[in-house]
């Protein structure tokens, strides 16, 4: 280990001061703090929150909902935001009137729609200014050079940003509909009717393995098909606000239902019709178990049921079977989420069932006054006059955090008064590596985010947020806890051994029993903050709402992405990649830049340049691409993708302490830049996004989108060709690349089998000889 590495570890162990504070938004955004706080240092990702997320966050602040703390690093008079740029910048943008709130993001206060800060009533402004936010401020107590300081800041960033497991849409819906009557009816039926469960699974999730989430996915799909006939397909296919509209339609349908049990029985009857129809076409393997076809069929069956059309489907089995045999390609999963593909398949099914029933399906495909209907049923209060009264009923009455040692919490979780797994909570998902990082933070004395507890009137404490952290601690110590069925159980990671620790490397492979008594005491004495929301003081408070607010993160940082590499990898490497990306981004990109099309910039273009440089590195080292890229046979085409993206992360993170490898990778980046230039020469003419799209769009699709695999195949051939034919004709390599892309994407729609796959591999390898 280098001397710098030893100093880095010693500072983390002994010289890192952490000061927790709670301050008002007014203090945080004071003129002095705005001058001295750098909220976008180079290792931070770009600002990526859209207007919906901005509005959701501002609403949470106004409601008094606890928000994740800001992590700051203080060095002299300078302060940097290590974690929380999106939150800090959103607050700053809001007070500067750069943000107008949108109803799409306002779950509880729709009356604030279209308002910016200046338009708020003075009482609401006061509430906003006086809202509190927690801050953890890190400071090194000894003098260090800028290299070590930079490494410390990156490690803190990594520690607070890795291990975040955002809620999936299924988990959000599971919490949102925790007390929903129809969902309970469906769940009860699926629990006791195993045959129905398996048939739905076969129709909609044929390739899903059995898991704790699968039943929730089935319940979710049934909620959606229940109201899909009320959702014009032309509007559904657009995608925008789809989830929001589904929620509005579903809530209205359930609230207006005279008998939800009868509704479900009708839905169940339509499902049985679906199963019978599917059994008549199962001999055609290409459409058997097709989720997209199942959705369209059930949609049509439900419409006919709702319209009172009594159809004897046995009279039409041959017609239905033959129709889908001829049109199965319209239900292919390739580009299935594009607008045109959705319209095409629903129109196809509508045409068939219109012939069978005589019912005109046009109103279910397109309804011109749907927007007007939606406004009428939307549950909102457009009058802002009562906002103060609304806020008084919704704001959370919560005390300051209560600090408790882990030992005390462990004694509570075995009782039936401390519920780690209330019904709306997600399943245990934390990996041993993420759990190890939490234990390492505890041993280093680094504060963990607070636990959010809902204390019922009967004294039972529900863990709203912090379940995964608690389970990591319980698992490591080897203790039990009470699950949702009030049974004592062990964590799935019980007694795990520590893995991939960054600082306390000597403790890798240690379990709790192998630690010293001093280390065990550190864990048991470690203080965790609990923010307890009392039901008796917050009538009508919904813990599921806070659960979703705290856990729904539409923009988490993926561990194996440039957003994370930007914050953890050697600064020289990152700056070089950004430089190359910026030079050619007007035409050489994966996704258009935010400035071009007003999209959030998730650094995909920098990620593309990084991956292409890594592929070059592997080729130079191994003489082959096979350790980096894999080719895989699919039903109707071949795909090319990275074999192990985490291997790139591991490699990049080692460059800071390995001069020779760092220099080697910098050369790979230079090589990538030279190939970008060569690629431009190969395309010829004026370099533009249209020219590149034309080159890659071998299928001549009207809805073409670039994919990373387009660049992978191009890079393999172009790199090999350029090394062998520096003065060769660029028309030849252009033809080679296009020919292989045609085969990769099966432009001619031939049968893709092992023979096809092998011939593609042979042709690719013949063009990539080094």
């Amino acid at each position: 280990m280098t001397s710098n590495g030893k100093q880095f570890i010693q500072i983390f162990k002994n010289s890192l001061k952490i000061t927790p504070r709670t301050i008002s938004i007014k203090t945080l955004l004071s003129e002095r703090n705005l001058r001295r706080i750098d909220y976008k240092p180079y290792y931070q990702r770009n600002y990526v929150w859209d207007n919906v997320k901005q509005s959701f966050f501002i609403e949470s602040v106004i409601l008094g909902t606890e928000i994740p703390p800001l992590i700051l690093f203080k060095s002299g008079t300078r302060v940097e935001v290590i974690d929380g740029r999106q939150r800090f910048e959103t607050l700053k943008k809001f007070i500067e009137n750069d943000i107008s709130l949108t109803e799409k993001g306002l779950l509880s206060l729709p009356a604030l729609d279209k308002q910016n800060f200046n338009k708020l009533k003075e009482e609401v402004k006061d509430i906003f200014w006086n809202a509190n936010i927690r801050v953890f401020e890190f400071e090194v107590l000894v003098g260090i050079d800028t290299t070590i300081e930079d490494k410390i800041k990156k490690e803190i960033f990594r520690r607070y940003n890795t291990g975040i497991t955002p809620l999936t849409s299924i988990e959000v819906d599971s919490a949102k509909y925790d007390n929903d009557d129809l969902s309970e009816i469906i769940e009860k039926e699926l629990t006791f009717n195993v045959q129905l469960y398996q048939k739905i699974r076969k129709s909609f999730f044929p390739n899903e393995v059995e898991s704790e989430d699968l039943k929730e996915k089935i319940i979710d799909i049934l909620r959606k098909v229940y109201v899909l006939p009320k959702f014009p397909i032309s509007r559904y296919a657009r995608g925008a606000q789809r989830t929001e509209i589904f929620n509005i339609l579903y809530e209205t349908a359930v609230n207006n239902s005279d008998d939800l049990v009868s509704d479900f029985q009708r839905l169940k009857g339509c499902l049985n019709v679906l199963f019978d129809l599917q059994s008549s076409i199962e001999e055609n393997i290409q459409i058997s178990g097709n989720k997209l076809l199942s959705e369209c069929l059930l949609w049509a069956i439900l419409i006919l049921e709702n319209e009172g059309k009594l159809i004897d489907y046995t009279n039409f089995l041959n017609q239905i079977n033959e129709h889908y045999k001829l049109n199965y390609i319209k239900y292919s999963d390739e580009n299935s989420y594009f607008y045109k593909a959705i319209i095409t398949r629903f129109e196809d099914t509508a045409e068939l069932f219109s012939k069978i029933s005589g019912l005109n399906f046009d109103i279910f495909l397109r309804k011109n006054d749907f927007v007007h209907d939606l406004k009428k049923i939307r549950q909102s209060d457009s009058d802002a006059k009562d906002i103060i009264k609304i806020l008084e009923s919704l704001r959370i009455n919560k005390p300051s955090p209560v600090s408790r040692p882990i030992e005390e919490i462990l004694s509570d979780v075995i009782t039936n008064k401390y519920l780690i797994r209330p019904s709306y909570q997600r399943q245990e998902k934390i990996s041993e590596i993420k759990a190890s990082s939490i234990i390492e933070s505890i041993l280093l004395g680094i504060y963990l985010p607070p636990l959010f507890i809902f204390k019922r009137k009967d004294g039972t404490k529900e863990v709203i947020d912090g379940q995964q952290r608690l389970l990591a601690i319980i698992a490591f110590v080897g203790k039990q806890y009470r699950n949702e069925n009030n049974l004592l159980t062990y964590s799935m990671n019980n007694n795990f051994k520590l893995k991939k620790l960054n600082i306390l490397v000597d403790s890798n492979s240690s379990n709790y029993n192998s630690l010293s008594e001093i280390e065990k005491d550190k864990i048991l004495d470690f203080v965790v903050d609990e923010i307890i929301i009392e039901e008796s003081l917050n009538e009508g408070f919904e813990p599921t709402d806070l659960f979703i607010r705290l856990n729904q993160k539409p923009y988490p940082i993926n561990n194996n992405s440039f957003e994370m590499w930007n914050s953890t990898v050697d600064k020289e490497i990152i700056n070089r990649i950004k430089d190359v990306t910026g030079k050619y981004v007007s035409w050489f990109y994966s996704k258009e830049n935010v400035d071009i099309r007003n999209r959030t910039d998730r650094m995909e273009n920098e990620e593309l340049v990084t991956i292409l440089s890594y592929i070059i590195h592997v080729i130079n080292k191994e003489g082959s691409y096979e350790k980096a890229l894999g080719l895989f046979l699919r039903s109707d085409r071949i795909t090319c993708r990275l074999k192990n993206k985490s291997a790139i992360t591991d490699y990049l993170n080692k460059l800071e302490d390995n001069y020779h490898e760092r220099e080697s990778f910098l050369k790979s980046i230079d090589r990538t830049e030279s190939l970008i230039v060569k690629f431009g020469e190969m395309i010829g003419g004026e370099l533009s996004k249209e020219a590149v799209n034309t080159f890659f769009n071998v299928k001549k699709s009207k809805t073409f989108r670039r994919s990373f695999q387009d660049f992978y195949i191009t890079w393999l051939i172009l790199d090999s060709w350029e090394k062998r034919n520096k003065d060769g004709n660029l028309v030849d390599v252009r033809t080679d690349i296009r020919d292989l892309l045609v085969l990769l994407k099966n432009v001619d729609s031939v049968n893709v089998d092992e023979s096809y796959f092998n011939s593609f591999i042979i042709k690719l390898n013949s063009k990539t000889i080094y």
Side-chain angles (χ1 to χ4, degrees), residues 18-45:
I18 311 167
T19 305
R21 292 185 291 140
T22 299
I23 59 177
S24 68
I25 300 295
K26 189 172 187 177
T27 298
L28 177 71
L29 300 180
S30 68
E31 195 173 313
R32 185 175 73 92
N33 276 334
L34 288 177
R35 275 199 315 269
R36 70 191 188 115
I37 293 177
D38 180 6
Y39 59 89
K40 48 183 178 181
Y42 83 91
Y43 50 82
Q44 281 280 8
R45 61 171 169 168

mmCIF file of all heavy atoms in Angstrom, residues 18-45:
data_model
loop_
_atom_site.group_PDB
_atom_site.id
_atom_site.type_symbol
_atom_site.label_atom_id
_atom_site.label_comp_id
_atom_site.label_asym_id
_atom_site.label_seq_id
_atom_site.Cartn_x
_atom_site.Cartn_y
_atom_site.Cartn_z
ATOM 1 N N ILE A 18 -17.220 14.631 12.300
ATOM 2 C CA ILE A 18 -18.544 14.679 11.690
ATOM 3 C C ILE A 18 -19.473 15.448 12.624
ATOM 4 O O ILE A 18 -19.665 15.061 13.776
ATOM 5 C CB ILE A 18 -19.105 13.266 11.445
ATOM 6 C CG1 ILE A 18 -18.069 12.393 10.736
ATOM 7 C CG2 ILE A 18 -20.397 13.338 10.634
ATOM 8 C CD1 ILE A 18 -18.401 10.929 10.724
ATOM 9 N N THR A 19 -20.026 16.537 12.127
ATOM 10 C CA THR A 19 -20.909 17.377 12.948
ATOM 11 C C THR A 19 -22.327 17.338 12.379
ATOM 12 O O THR A 19 -22.562 17.833 11.279
ATOM 13 C CB THR A 19 -20.427 18.834 12.964
ATOM 14 O OG1 THR A 19 -19.058 18.871 13.392
ATOM 15 C CG2 THR A 19 -21.286 19.675 13.892
ATOM 16 N N PRO A 20 -23.279 16.749 13.112
ATOM 17 C CA PRO A 20 -24.675 16.776 12.643
ATOM 18 C C PRO A 20 -25.369 18.047 13.121
ATOM 19 O O PRO A 20 -25.185 18.485 14.259
ATOM 20 C CB PRO A 20 -25.281 15.531 13.304
ATOM 21 C CG PRO A 20 -24.484 15.341 14.543
ATOM 22 C CD PRO A 20 -23.107 15.903 14.302
ATOM 23 N N ARG A 21 -26.142 18.670 12.253
ATOM 24 C CA ARG A 21 -26.876 19.880 12.618
ATOM 25 C C ARG A 21 -28.244 19.859 11.958
ATOM 26 O O ARG A 21 -28.445 19.186 10.952
ATOM 27 C CB ARG A 21 -26.135 21.134 12.148
ATOM 28 C CG ARG A 21 -24.829 21.409 12.862
ATOM 29 C CD ARG A 21 -24.223 22.731 12.408
ATOM 30 N NE ARG A 21 -23.751 22.673 11.037
ATOM 31 C CZ ARG A 21 -23.892 23.654 10.147
ATOM 32 N NH1 ARG A 21 -24.528 24.764 10.474
ATOM 33 N NH2 ARG A 21 -23.416 23.538 8.933
ATOM 34 N N THR A 22 -29.149 20.593 12.535
ATOM 35 C CA THR A 22 -30.448 20.823 11.906
ATOM 36 C C THR A 22 -30.610 22.327 11.731
ATOM 37 O O THR A 22 -30.519 23.081 12.695
ATOM 38 C CB THR A 22 -31.596 20.273 12.774
ATOM 39 O OG1 THR A 22 -31.420 18.864 12.926
ATOM 40 C CG2 THR A 22 -32.941 20.541 12.117
ATOM 41 N N ILE A 23 -30.812 22.757 10.481
ATOM 42 C CA ILE A 23 -30.926 24.188 10.205
ATOM 43 C C ILE A 23 -32.167 24.439 9.342
ATOM 44 O O ILE A 23 -32.687 23.524 8.693
ATOM 45 C CB ILE A 23 -29.676 24.748 9.485
ATOM 46 C CG1 ILE A 23 -29.447 24.027 8.151
ATOM 47 C CG2 ILE A 23 -28.458 24.642 10.370
ATOM 48 C CD1 ILE A 23 -28.271 24.578 7.345
ATOM 49 N N SER A 24 -32.631 25.663 9.331
ATOM 50 C CA SER A 24 -33.797 26.019 8.523
ATOM 51 C C SER A 24 -33.375 26.222 7.073
ATOM 52 O O SER A 24 -32.201 26.476 6.771
ATOM 53 C CB SER A 24 -34.445 27.297 9.059
ATOM 54 O OG SER A 24 -33.584 28.405 8.839
ATOM 55 N N ILE A 25 -34.354 26.103 6.175
ATOM 56 C CA ILE A 25 -34.087 26.379 4.767
ATOM 57 C C ILE A 25 -33.600 27.823 4.608
ATOM 58 O O ILE A 25 -32.727 28.116 3.796
ATOM 59 C CB ILE A 25 -35.362 26.164 3.919
ATOM 60 C CG1 ILE A 25 -35.850 24.701 4.033
ATOM 61 C CG2 ILE A 25 -35.127 26.535 2.462
ATOM 62 C CD1 ILE A 25 -34.932 23.676 3.461
ATOM 63 N N LYS A 26 -34.145 28.728 5.414
ATOM 64 C CA LYS A 26 -33.744 30.135 5.342
ATOM 65 C C LYS A 26 -32.261 30.309 5.641
ATOM 66 O O LYS A 26 -31.558 31.078 4.972
ATOM 67 C CB LYS A 26 -34.581 30.960 6.320
ATOM 68 C CG LYS A 26 -34.404 32.468 6.192
ATOM 69 C CD LYS A 26 -35.406 33.222 7.047
ATOM 70 C CE LYS A 26 -35.344 34.714 6.784
ATOM 71 N NZ LYS A 26 -36.374 35.450 7.557
ATOM 72 N N THR A 27 -31.764 29.572 6.645
ATOM 73 C CA THR A 27 -30.336 29.655 6.983
ATOM 74 C C THR A 27 -29.495 28.993 5.900
ATOM 75 O O THR A 27 -28.458 29.529 5.491
ATOM 76 C CB THR A 27 -30.075 28.971 8.338
ATOM 77 O OG1 THR A 27 -30.804 29.666 9.355
ATOM 78 C CG2 THR A 27 -28.600 28.984 8.679
ATOM 79 N N LEU A 28 -29.936 27.833 5.446
ATOM 80 C CA LEU A 28 -29.187 27.111 4.417
ATOM 81 C C LEU A 28 -29.002 27.960 3.167
ATOM 82 O O LEU A 28 -27.914 27.987 2.570
ATOM 83 C CB LEU A 28 -29.910 25.806 4.057
ATOM 84 C CG LEU A 28 -29.275 24.972 2.936
ATOM 85 C CD1 LEU A 28 -27.975 24.342 3.418
ATOM 86 C CD2 LEU A 28 -30.234 23.896 2.443
ATOM 87 N N LEU A 29 -30.057 28.681 2.776
ATOM 88 C CA LEU A 29 -30.030 29.454 1.538
ATOM 89 C C LEU A 29 -29.758 30.936 1.785
ATOM 90 O O LEU A 29 -30.112 31.782 0.963
ATOM 91 C CB LEU A 29 -31.353 29.290 0.789
ATOM 92 C CG LEU A 29 -31.711 27.853 0.382
ATOM 93 C CD1 LEU A 29 -33.041 27.815 -0.346
ATOM 94 C CD2 LEU A 29 -30.626 27.221 -0.483
ATOM 95 N N SER A 30 -29.148 31.243 2.916
ATOM 96 C CA SER A 30 -28.796 32.640 3.182
ATOM 97 C C SER A 30 -27.765 33.112 2.162
ATOM 98 O O SER A 30 -27.067 32.316 1.532
ATOM 99 C CB SER A 30 -28.217 32.784 4.592
ATOM 100 O OG SER A 30 -26.952 32.146 4.668
ATOM 101 N N GLU A 31 -27.667 34.407 2.022
ATOM 102 C CA GLU A 31 -26.737 34.987 1.040
ATOM 103 C C GLU A 31 -25.307 34.529 1.308
ATOM 104 O O GLU A 31 -24.547 34.227 0.388
ATOM 105 C CB GLU A 31 -26.843 36.519 1.110
ATOM 106 C CG GLU A 31 -26.221 37.230 -0.071
ATOM 107 C CD GLU A 31 -26.485 38.719 -0.056
ATOM 108 O OE1 GLU A 31 -27.654 39.110 0.162
ATOM 109 O OE2 GLU A 31 -25.525 39.476 -0.234
ATOM 110 N N ARG A 32 -24.934 34.468 2.580
ATOM 111 C CA ARG A 32 -23.568 34.041 2.927
ATOM 112 C C ARG A 32 -23.326 32.591 2.535
ATOM 113 O O ARG A 32 -22.289 32.251 1.958
ATOM 114 C CB ARG A 32 -23.340 34.230 4.431
ATOM 115 C CG ARG A 32 -21.904 33.930 4.882
ATOM 116 C CD ARG A 32 -21.739 34.266 6.343
ATOM 117 N NE ARG A 32 -22.405 33.295 7.185
ATOM 118 C CZ ARG A 32 -21.799 32.212 7.683
ATOM 119 N NH1 ARG A 32 -20.516 31.972 7.417
ATOM 120 N NH2 ARG A 32 -22.448 31.374 8.460
ATOM 121 N N ASN A 33 -24.291 31.706 2.838
ATOM 122 C CA ASN A 33 -24.116 30.290 2.510
ATOM 123 C C ASN A 33 -24.115 30.048 1.007
ATOM 124 O O ASN A 33 -23.360 29.208 0.509
ATOM 125 C CB ASN A 33 -25.194 29.448 3.178
ATOM 126 C CG ASN A 33 -24.833 29.101 4.609
ATOM 127 O OD1 ASN A 33 -23.656 29.055 4.965
ATOM 128 N ND2 ASN A 33 -25.834 28.882 5.443
ATOM 129 N N LEU A 34 -24.943 30.778 0.283
ATOM 130 C CA LEU A 34 -24.955 30.615 -1.166
ATOM 131 C C LEU A 34 -23.627 31.047 -1.789
ATOM 132 O O LEU A 34 -23.234 30.545 -2.844
ATOM 133 C CB LEU A 34 -26.108 31.413 -1.790
ATOM 134 C CG LEU A 34 -27.512 30.847 -1.548
ATOM 135 C CD1 LEU A 34 -28.570 31.768 -2.144
ATOM 136 C CD2 LEU A 34 -27.646 29.440 -2.126
ATOM 137 N N ARG A 35 -22.927 31.975 -1.118
ATOM 138 C CA ARG A 35 -21.617 32.406 -1.611
ATOM 139 C C ARG A 35 -20.552 31.351 -1.366
ATOM 140 O O ARG A 35 -19.668 31.146 -2.187
ATOM 141 C CB ARG A 35 -21.183 33.716 -0.923
ATOM 142 C CG ARG A 35 -21.716 34.976 -1.568
ATOM 143 C CD ARG A 35 -20.893 36.199 -1.155
ATOM 144 N NE ARG A 35 -20.588 36.248 0.268
ATOM 145 C CZ ARG A 35 -21.335 36.853 1.174
ATOM 146 N NH1 ARG A 35 -22.455 37.451 0.798
ATOM 147 N NH2 ARG A 35 -20.991 36.865 2.446
ATOM 148 N N ARG A 36 -20.613 30.693 -0.228
ATOM 149 C CA ARG A 36 -19.494 29.822 0.150
ATOM 150 C C ARG A 36 -19.731 28.339 -0.118
ATOM 151 O O ARG A 36 -18.790 27.543 -0.096
ATOM 152 C CB ARG A 36 -19.138 30.021 1.620
ATOM 153 C CG ARG A 36 -20.145 29.505 2.613
ATOM 154 C CD ARG A 36 -19.834 29.970 4.021
ATOM 155 N NE ARG A 36 -20.698 29.305 4.996
ATOM 156 C CZ ARG A 36 -20.276 28.478 5.936
ATOM 157 N NH1 ARG A 36 -18.990 28.217 6.039
ATOM 158 N NH2 ARG A 36 -21.112 27.921 6.777
ATOM 159 N N ILE A 37 -20.974 27.935 -0.383
ATOM 160 C CA ILE A 37 -21.254 26.517 -0.626
ATOM 161 C C ILE A 37 -21.150 26.213 -2.117
ATOM 162 O O ILE A 37 -21.849 26.803 -2.938
ATOM 163 C CB ILE A 37 -22.658 26.120 -0.112
ATOM 164 C CG1 ILE A 37 -22.707 26.217 1.416
ATOM 165 C CG2 ILE A 37 -23.010 24.703 -0.551
ATOM 166 C CD1 ILE A 37 -24.072 25.904 2.011
ATOM 167 N N ASP A 38 -20.266 25.297 -2.450
ATOM 168 C CA ASP A 38 -20.141 24.812 -3.825
ATOM 169 C C ASP A 38 -20.994 23.557 -3.945
ATOM 170 O O ASP A 38 -20.634 22.496 -3.433
ATOM 171 C CB ASP A 38 -18.667 24.507 -4.140
ATOM 172 C CG ASP A 38 -18.469 23.987 -5.554
ATOM 173 O OD1 ASP A 38 -19.452 23.965 -6.322
ATOM 174 O OD2 ASP A 38 -17.332 23.591 -5.890
ATOM 175 N N TYR A 39 -22.139 23.677 -4.603
ATOM 176 C CA TYR A 39 -23.063 22.545 -4.673
ATOM 177 C C TYR A 39 -22.858 21.681 -5.928
ATOM 178 O O TYR A 39 -23.541 20.695 -6.121
ATOM 179 C CB TYR A 39 -24.521 23.029 -4.617
ATOM 180 C CG TYR A 39 -24.909 23.986 -5.711
ATOM 181 C CD1 TYR A 39 -25.400 23.522 -6.922
ATOM 182 C CD2 TYR A 39 -24.806 25.354 -5.526
ATOM 183 C CE1 TYR A 39 -25.765 24.396 -7.931
ATOM 184 C CE2 TYR A 39 -25.165 26.242 -6.523
ATOM 185 C CZ TYR A 39 -25.645 25.755 -7.727
ATOM 186 O OH TYR A 39 -26.008 26.633 -8.725
ATOM 187 N N LYS A 40 -21.910 22.061 -6.775
ATOM 188 C CA LYS A 40 -21.636 21.242 -7.958
ATOM 189 C C LYS A 40 -20.130 21.101 -8.217
ATOM 190 O O LYS A 40 -19.633 21.509 -9.265
ATOM 191 C CB LYS A 40 -22.360 21.788 -9.188
ATOM 192 C CG LYS A 40 -22.221 23.280 -9.429
ATOM 193 C CD LYS A 40 -23.054 23.679 -10.654
ATOM 194 C CE LYS A 40 -22.987 25.179 -10.896
ATOM 195 N NZ LYS A 40 -23.800 25.579 -12.063
ATOM 196 N N PRO A 41 -19.392 20.541 -7.240
ATOM 197 C CA PRO A 41 -17.984 20.252 -7.488
ATOM 198 C C PRO A 41 -17.858 19.232 -8.626
ATOM 199 O O PRO A 41 -18.846 18.570 -8.981
ATOM 200 C CB PRO A 41 -17.502 19.675 -6.153
ATOM 201 C CG PRO A 41 -18.734 19.162 -5.500
ATOM 202 C CD PRO A 41 -19.835 20.071 -5.919
ATOM 203 N N TYR A 42 -16.672 19.072 -9.171
ATOM 204 C CA TYR A 42 -16.493 18.274 -10.396
ATOM 205 C C TYR A 42 -16.973 16.834 -10.241
ATOM 206 O O TYR A 42 -17.415 16.204 -11.204
ATOM 207 C CB TYR A 42 -15.017 18.293 -10.825
ATOM 208 C CG TYR A 42 -14.158 17.288 -10.096
ATOM 209 C CD1 TYR A 42 -13.970 16.005 -10.593
ATOM 210 C CD2 TYR A 42 -13.552 17.619 -8.884
ATOM 211 C CE1 TYR A 42 -13.194 15.089 -9.916
ATOM 212 C CE2 TYR A 42 -12.787 16.708 -8.201
ATOM 213 C CZ TYR A 42 -12.603 15.432 -8.717
ATOM 214 O OH TYR A 42 -11.851 14.515 -8.036
ATOM 215 N N TYR A 43 -16.882 16.281 -9.007
ATOM 216 C CA TYR A 43 -17.238 14.862 -8.837
ATOM 217 C C TYR A 43 -18.749 14.650 -8.725
ATOM 218 O O TYR A 43 -19.217 13.516 -8.662
ATOM 219 C CB TYR A 43 -16.540 14.275 -7.599
ATOM 220 C CG TYR A 43 -16.696 15.079 -6.338
ATOM 221 C CD1 TYR A 43 -17.836 14.962 -5.560
ATOM 222 C CD2 TYR A 43 -15.704 15.965 -5.925
ATOM 223 C CE1 TYR A 43 -17.994 15.710 -4.409
ATOM 224 C CE2 TYR A 43 -15.846 16.719 -4.767
ATOM 225 C CZ TYR A 43 -16.995 16.579 -4.010
ATOM 226 O OH TYR A 43 -17.154 17.324 -2.867
ATOM 227 N N GLN A 44 -19.526 15.741 -8.695
ATOM 228 C CA GLN A 44 -20.980 15.605 -8.664
ATOM 229 C C GLN A 44 -21.503 15.323 -10.067
ATOM 230 O O GLN A 44 -20.962 15.819 -11.056
ATOM 231 C CB GLN A 44 -21.634 16.881 -8.132
ATOM 232 C CG GLN A 44 -21.602 17.021 -6.629
ATOM 233 C CD GLN A 44 -22.687 16.200 -5.953
ATOM 234 O OE1 GLN A 44 -23.383 15.413 -6.586
ATOM 235 N NE2 GLN A 44 -22.819 16.381 -4.652
ATOM 236 N N ARG A 45 -22.564 14.557 -10.142
ATOM 237 C CA ARG A 45 -23.216 14.357 -11.431
ATOM 238 C C ARG A 45 -23.970 15.632 -11.828
ATOM 239 O O ARG A 45 -24.087 16.575 -11.050
ATOM 240 C CB ARG A 45 -24.191 13.189 -11.355
ATOM 241 C CG ARG A 45 -25.322 13.384 -10.349
ATOM 242 C CD ARG A 45 -26.336 12.288 -10.504
ATOM 243 N NE ARG A 45 -27.298 12.272 -9.411
ATOM 244 C CZ ARG A 45 -28.407 11.551 -9.439
ATOM 245 N NH1 ARG A 45 -28.685 10.796 -10.473
ATOM 246 N NH2 ARG A 45 -29.241 11.550 -8.426
#
